[in-house]
Short mmCIF file of all heavy atoms in Angstrom, two decimals:
data_model
loop_
_atom_site.label_atom_id
_atom_site.label_comp_id
_atom_site.label_asym_id
_atom_site.label_seq_id
_atom_site.Cartn_x
_atom_site.Cartn_y
_atom_site.Cartn_z
N TRP A 344 22.43 -17.75 18.74
CA TRP A 344 20.99 -18.19 19.01
C TRP A 344 20.99 -19.71 19.04
O TRP A 344 20.24 -20.29 19.81
CB TRP A 344 20.08 -17.62 17.91
CG TRP A 344 20.11 -16.20 17.75
CD1 TRP A 344 20.48 -15.52 16.55
CD2 TRP A 344 19.96 -15.20 18.70
NE1 TRP A 344 20.44 -14.09 16.73
CE2 TRP A 344 20.21 -13.90 18.20
CE3 TRP A 344 19.58 -15.20 20.05
CZ2 TRP A 344 20.04 -12.59 18.66
CZ3 TRP A 344 19.59 -14.01 20.72
CH2 TRP A 344 19.72 -12.84 20.15
N ARG A 347 21.70 -21.62 22.15
CA ARG A 347 20.58 -21.37 23.26
C ARG A 347 19.25 -21.96 22.75
O ARG A 347 18.25 -21.74 23.32
CB ARG A 347 20.35 -19.90 23.58
CG ARG A 347 21.66 -19.28 24.04
CD ARG A 347 21.42 -17.76 24.24
NE ARG A 347 22.59 -17.22 24.52
CZ ARG A 347 22.86 -15.87 24.57
NH1 ARG A 347 21.90 -15.03 23.96
NH2 ARG A 347 23.90 -15.27 25.00
N ASN A 348 19.22 -22.78 21.66
CA ASN A 348 18.07 -23.31 21.13
C ASN A 348 17.01 -22.25 20.80
O ASN A 348 15.80 -22.44 21.04
CB ASN A 348 17.45 -24.41 22.04
CG ASN A 348 18.16 -25.76 21.88
OD1 ASN A 348 18.67 -25.96 20.73
ND2 ASN A 348 18.12 -26.51 22.83
N VAL A 349 17.33 -21.16 20.29
CA VAL A 349 16.42 -20.16 19.92
C VAL A 349 16.26 -20.18 18.33
O VAL A 349 17.31 -20.04 17.63
CB VAL A 349 17.01 -18.70 20.32
CG1 VAL A 349 16.05 -17.61 19.76
CG2 VAL A 349 17.04 -18.61 21.78
N PRO A 350 15.15 -20.52 17.85
CA PRO A 350 14.92 -20.64 16.37
C PRO A 350 15.02 -19.28 15.74
O PRO A 350 14.64 -18.26 16.30
CB PRO A 350 13.52 -21.29 16.38
CG PRO A 350 12.75 -20.92 17.58
CD PRO A 350 13.85 -20.69 18.66
N ARG A 351 15.29 -19.30 14.61
CA ARG A 351 15.40 -18.13 13.67
C ARG A 351 13.97 -17.89 13.21
O ARG A 351 13.23 -18.72 13.10
CB ARG A 351 16.24 -18.30 12.39
CG ARG A 351 17.66 -18.59 12.99
CD ARG A 351 18.58 -18.75 11.77
NE ARG A 351 19.10 -17.39 11.29
CZ ARG A 351 19.92 -17.24 10.21
NH1 ARG A 351 20.47 -18.33 9.72
NH2 ARG A 351 20.14 -15.99 9.90
N ARG A 352 13.65 -16.69 13.21
CA ARG A 352 12.19 -16.22 12.82
C ARG A 352 11.72 -16.45 11.53
O ARG A 352 10.68 -16.78 11.25
CB ARG A 352 12.05 -14.72 13.21
CG ARG A 352 12.26 -14.47 14.66
CD ARG A 352 12.15 -13.03 14.95
NE ARG A 352 13.03 -12.15 14.28
CZ ARG A 352 13.05 -10.87 14.21
NH1 ARG A 352 12.12 -10.21 14.76
NH2 ARG A 352 14.11 -10.20 13.65
N ASN A 355 8.26 -16.04 10.16
CA ASN A 355 7.45 -15.92 11.33
C ASN A 355 7.89 -14.62 12.05
O ASN A 355 8.45 -14.66 13.20
CB ASN A 355 7.36 -17.00 12.24
CG ASN A 355 6.36 -16.89 13.29
OD1 ASN A 355 5.45 -16.12 13.29
ND2 ASN A 355 6.57 -17.65 14.50
N ARG A 386 16.78 -8.62 16.03
CA ARG A 386 16.51 -9.04 17.43
C ARG A 386 17.78 -8.90 18.12
O ARG A 386 18.79 -9.56 17.72
CB ARG A 386 15.95 -10.39 17.45
CG ARG A 386 15.82 -11.14 18.72
CD ARG A 386 14.95 -12.30 18.68
NE ARG A 386 15.53 -13.36 17.90
CZ ARG A 386 15.08 -14.60 17.64
NH1 ARG A 386 13.84 -14.75 18.07
NH2 ARG A 386 15.72 -15.53 16.91
N SER A 388 18.39 -9.58 21.36
CA SER A 388 18.43 -10.65 22.32
C SER A 388 17.28 -11.44 22.23
O SER A 388 16.15 -11.15 21.90
CB SER A 388 18.55 -10.19 23.90
OG SER A 388 17.42 -9.33 24.16
N PRO A 389 17.45 -12.85 22.66
CA PRO A 389 16.28 -13.69 22.64
C PRO A 389 15.34 -13.52 23.63
O PRO A 389 15.70 -13.02 24.80
CB PRO A 389 17.00 -15.21 22.61
CG PRO A 389 18.11 -14.94 23.39
CD PRO A 389 18.63 -13.51 23.05
N PRO A 390 13.98 -13.69 23.44
CA PRO A 390 13.08 -13.59 24.46
C PRO A 390 13.34 -14.66 25.54
O PRO A 390 13.38 -15.86 25.18
CB PRO A 390 11.66 -13.79 23.65
CG PRO A 390 12.04 -14.53 22.52
CD PRO A 390 13.39 -14.20 22.11
N VAL A 391 13.50 -14.17 26.81
CA VAL A 391 13.78 -15.15 27.73
C VAL A 391 12.65 -15.08 28.94
O VAL A 391 12.20 -14.06 29.20
CB VAL A 391 15.15 -14.71 28.45
CG1 VAL A 391 15.56 -15.54 29.73
CG2 VAL A 391 16.28 -14.63 27.43
N SER A 392 12.46 -16.27 29.56
CA SER A 392 11.50 -16.37 30.68
C SER A 392 12.57 -16.35 31.84
O SER A 392 13.18 -17.35 32.04
CB SER A 392 10.67 -17.60 30.56
OG SER A 392 10.06 -17.88 31.82
N TYR A 393 12.49 -15.19 32.60
CA TYR A 393 13.37 -15.10 33.76
C TYR A 393 12.92 -16.04 34.85
O TYR A 393 13.71 -16.15 35.79
CB TYR A 393 13.54 -13.72 34.13
CG TYR A 393 14.18 -12.85 33.06
CD1 TYR A 393 13.54 -12.09 32.22
CD2 TYR A 393 15.64 -13.12 32.93
CE1 TYR A 393 14.20 -11.34 31.28
CE2 TYR A 393 16.31 -12.35 32.02
CZ TYR A 393 15.64 -11.49 31.12
OH TYR A 393 16.27 -10.73 30.14
N THR A 394 11.70 -16.63 34.90
CA THR A 394 11.30 -17.38 35.87
C THR A 394 11.84 -18.74 35.91
O THR A 394 12.29 -19.33 36.89
CB THR A 394 9.78 -17.55 35.98
OG1 THR A 394 9.35 -18.11 34.69
CG2 THR A 394 9.12 -16.15 36.21
N ASP A 395 12.07 -19.40 34.66
CA ASP A 395 12.75 -20.70 34.66
C ASP A 395 13.86 -20.80 33.73
O ASP A 395 14.54 -21.88 33.44
CB ASP A 395 11.64 -21.73 34.14
CG ASP A 395 11.07 -21.48 32.82
OD1 ASP A 395 11.70 -20.56 32.03
OD2 ASP A 395 10.07 -22.26 32.37
N GLY A 396 14.28 -19.56 33.13
CA GLY A 396 15.59 -19.57 32.37
C GLY A 396 15.46 -20.25 30.92
O GLY A 396 16.52 -20.39 30.18
N THR A 397 14.31 -20.41 30.54
CA THR A 397 14.10 -20.98 29.10
C THR A 397 13.83 -19.82 28.11
O THR A 397 13.43 -18.77 28.51
CB THR A 397 12.90 -22.05 29.10
OG1 THR A 397 11.64 -21.25 29.35
CG2 THR A 397 12.98 -23.13 29.90
N TYR A 398 13.98 -20.14 26.81
CA TYR A 398 13.80 -19.16 25.78
C TYR A 398 12.39 -19.42 25.15
O TYR A 398 11.96 -20.47 24.98
CB TYR A 398 14.86 -19.25 24.74
CG TYR A 398 16.17 -18.93 25.31
CD1 TYR A 398 17.05 -19.89 25.76
CD2 TYR A 398 16.61 -17.64 25.34
CE1 TYR A 398 18.26 -19.49 26.20
CE2 TYR A 398 17.73 -17.30 25.76
CZ TYR A 398 18.82 -18.19 26.25
OH TYR A 398 19.99 -17.91 26.80
N ALA A 399 11.57 -18.30 25.03
CA ALA A 399 10.22 -18.30 24.42
C ALA A 399 10.37 -18.60 23.09
O ALA A 399 11.25 -18.25 22.28
CB ALA A 399 9.52 -17.08 24.82
#
Side-chain angles (χ1 to χ4, degrees):
W344 309 120
R347 299 177 185 160
N348 277 336
V349 176
R351 297 182 86 174
R352 296 179 294 168
N355 187 23
R386 177 167 62 185
S388 62
V391 177
S392 170
Y393 291 103
T394 56
D395 62 9
T397 61
Y398 296 94

